[in-house]
Amino acid sequence: MSNTTTVTLEVLRYDPERDQEPRFQSFEVPYDEDWVVLDALNWIKDNTDSTLTYRWSCHMAVCGSCGMVVNGEEKLTCKAFLRDYLGRGPIRVEPLRNFPIERDLVVDMEGFMAKLESVKPWIIRDEEKPVEDGEYIQLPKQLKRFKHHTLCINCLLCYSACPQVGLNPGFIGPAALALAHRYNLDSRDQGRHERQEVTGSADGVWECTFVSACSDVCPKHVEPGGAIQEQKIANSVDWFLDHLIPGRSSAGRTKE
Amino acid sequence: MSRRPYTPKMTYGWWLERPFYTRYMIRELSSAFVTAYSGLLIVGLWRLAEGEAAWNGYVSALSHPATLVFQGIALLFALYHTVTWFAVTPRTTPVIVGEDFLPPQPVIIAQYAAWIFASAVIIGAALWF
Ligand code: SF4
Ligand code: FES
């Protein structure tokens, strides 16, 4: 459609000082074949309405701050080309779902940050070895096992796509649980059972019903859905062993 | 300037908003039929233990049109459940072979092979005895 000259964006607006609830506002934007939705938002901000509020930084699918819902699908708007939406009416741009809307397309991420911290996403050791003993060695094959879970950019597309997050706002959710799994699988880590107090709680992996929308929308192929199912399996094995072997208790215990 | 975040509410019809969610809800619903059919099989075992008359009554109840309709619907849901479950299993059990993860296809194919094999054994045994 080379003769297209403009596109219409229907953008969700919410001004906490004036609006009781969000509303949509239409903007006419020049069309450029190489433009992404984020370019169109920037054009609006520069030319039509400087109050339009949204987050972005890198414009190259790295920083994870430009996540929004475009025509009902979670997208990094710096990767969502206008040309892919042509001929289907106005392009609807909304903030991520399942989060409080702070203003326009900006959501409140504080709850997520607390969840992320709650899973202790760092290497936990029973005893730290002294620096002079040298580094912890890890083979490429051991790294391979969890590398894809390390690629998360905290874009929160997965939280927006997950209906379980919407139904239970306390659910720790896909990205944080994938990060917990990333450390559990790290050959240098010994903190799986310590993390399990949170990840195995009612708000942890068991809140997941394997909708797998998270893995479907993830732009970095982190596979959070798989990470959660693997943890369910590990937790169940622990539960059985704890009941079969007298004296065994995995709660609060570190990995042998 | 004070904060006043707006918290959107999830609608009751959320699962109709995207085909992905609708397919998921059908998979959830299919569990109810799989459970009900398992219940029917357990009742069969129980009737079998009660003797020949009870068993014959159970068999004739199974061929009643209403039970046949239920079995047909349960079969469709069980197939849907199986196919969708097989499709997502590779996500839950990553296997490293050599230097890399096994791609999903061999895992999916292996499940179908196991399914066909198990069905053939059961049908074969039923015809044999
Ligand atoms: S897991 Fe994927 S979708 Fe979720 S925050 Fe990380 S990069 Fe984004
Ligand atoms: S602007 Fe950084 S990911 Fe899109």
Side-chain angles (χ1 to χ4, degrees):
Chain A
M1 276 217 250
S2 52
N3 51 0
T4 308
T5 52
T6 60
V7 288
T8 307
L9 256 64
E10 273 177 12
V11 183
L12 185 135
R13 304 297 309 264
Y14 172 66
D15 178 349
E17 281 157 20
R18 283 208 338 235
D19 297 333
Q20 281 316 304
E21 52 182 43
R23 59 201 161 81
F24 281 96
Q25 189 177 354
S26 287
F27 296 96
E28 195 89 351
V29 177
Y31 172 72
D32 186 312
E33 206 193 5
D34 295 330
W35 271 16
V36 290
V37 172
L38 180 59
D39 293 319
L41 294 174
N42 283 341
W43 189 89
I44 296 169
K45 190 161 178 84
D46 289 344
N47 296 282
T48 323
D49 186 344
S50 60
T51 67
L52 182 64
T53 308
Y54 52 97
R55 289 193 181 108
W56 72 286
S57 177
C58 70
H59 202 293
M60 51 191 285
V62 169
C63 73
S65 47
C66 70
M68 297 170 208
V69 176
V70 182
N71 276 5
E73 283 176 36
E74 282 73 18
K75 293 283 175 202
L76 293 178
T77 48
C78 66
K79 247 182 93 180
F81 284 91
L82 294 179
R83 57 174 185 256
D84 294 333
Y85 296 93
L86 288 187
R88 286 189 271 154
I91 303 171
R92 198 166 250 242
V93 187
E94 297 165 81
L96 294 176
R97 297 179 178 203
N98 304 333
F99 291 96
I101 302 170
E102 199 69 50
R103 175 186 288 267
D104 295 344
L105 300 165
V106 170
V107 296
D108 176 8
M109 295 174 60
E110 274 168 30
F112 167 71
M113 298 312 283
K115 290 173 186 177
L116 202 58
E117 215 178 309
S118 74
V119 303
K120 306 191 183 181
W122 52 80
I123 287 183
I124 299 173
R125 300 284 304 175
D126 293 344
E127 268 174 62
E128 287 291 340
K129 74 176 179 184
V131 176
E132 48 277 17
D133 285 4
E135 60 279 77
Y136 294 106
I137 304 290
Q138 186 163 62
L139 299 172
K141 193 176 172 179
Q142 291 172 316
L143 174 64
K144 176 82 202 171
R145 180 65 186 84
F146 65 85
K147 175 93 185 288
H148 57 299
H149 297 314
T150 70
L151 302 178
C152 175
I153 56 172
N154 293 339
C155 65
L156 303 188
L157 299 195
C158 52
Y159 282 71
S160 175
C162 174
Q164 290 301 104
V165 171
L167 294 167
N168 170 18
F171 177 33
I172 294 169
L177 288 169
L179 192 62
H181 194 52
R182 169 248 174 279
Y183 282 95
N184 291 344
L185 290 177
D186 192 315
S187 55
R188 300 162 299 178
D189 181 79
Q190 297 174 317
R192 179 165 81 82
H193 290 105
E194 196 173 321
R195 277 181 211 107
Q196 203 158 294
E197 283 169 38
V198 176
T199 60
S201 71
D203 282 334
V205 292
W206 301 106
E207 185 61 35
C208 165
T209 51
F210 205 6
V211 182
S212 77
C214 54
S215 294
D216 207 54
V217 298
C218 176
K220 294 288 166 184
H221 309 291
V222 171
E223 194 54 74
I228 295 176
Q229 311 321 308
E230 283 187 73
Q231 288 178 86
K232 286 185 191 170
I233 296 172
N235 286 12
S236 307
V237 170
D238 270 335
W239 187 87
F240 276 111
L241 291 181
D242 283 355
H243 284 77
L244 285 175
I245 303 171
R248 185 186 197 274
S249 161
S250 46
R253 201 176 50 101
T254 48
K255 184 160 79 178
E256 50 273 64
Chain B
M1 203 170 71
S2 64
R3 288 178 62 181
R4 197 167 58 84
Y6 176 85
T7 306
K9 275 183 210 59
M10 219 162 150
T11 60
Y12 288 111
W14 64 267
W15 55 279
L16 291 170
E17 282 171 19
R18 300 183 188 182
F20 193 96
Y21 294 158
T22 312
R23 289 197 296 271
Y24 155 74
M25 279 305 249
I26 296 173
R27 196 180 83 209
E28 291 288 279
L29 177 68
S30 68
S31 316
F33 284 89
V34 173
T35 311
Y37 189 73
S38 313
L40 192 67
L41 291 183
I42 291 170
V43 170
L45 274 182
W46 171 50
R47 302 300 275 168
L48 186 64
E50 281 184 341
E52 201 180 336
W55 173 251
N56 287 339
Y58 175 74
V59 171
S60 67
L62 279 191
S63 24
H64 186 277
T67 345
L68 284 177
V69 169
F70 165 74
Q71 289 174 81
I73 297 173
L75 177 67
L76 288 181
F77 274 106
L79 284 175
Y80 183 83
H81 196 90
T82 309
V83 169
T84 51
W85 181 249
F86 281 3
V88 293
T89 315
R91 287 192 198 283
T92 68
T93 43
V95 188
I96 293 191
V97 177
E99 295 291 298
D100 222 328
F101 286 102
L102 211 59
Q105 288 80 9
V107 183
I108 297 176
I109 292 170
Q111 296 179 99
Y112 277 99
W115 181 25
I116 291 169
F117 177 75
S119 305
V121 168
I122 292 172
I123 293 171
L127 291 178
W128 186 263
F129 293 112

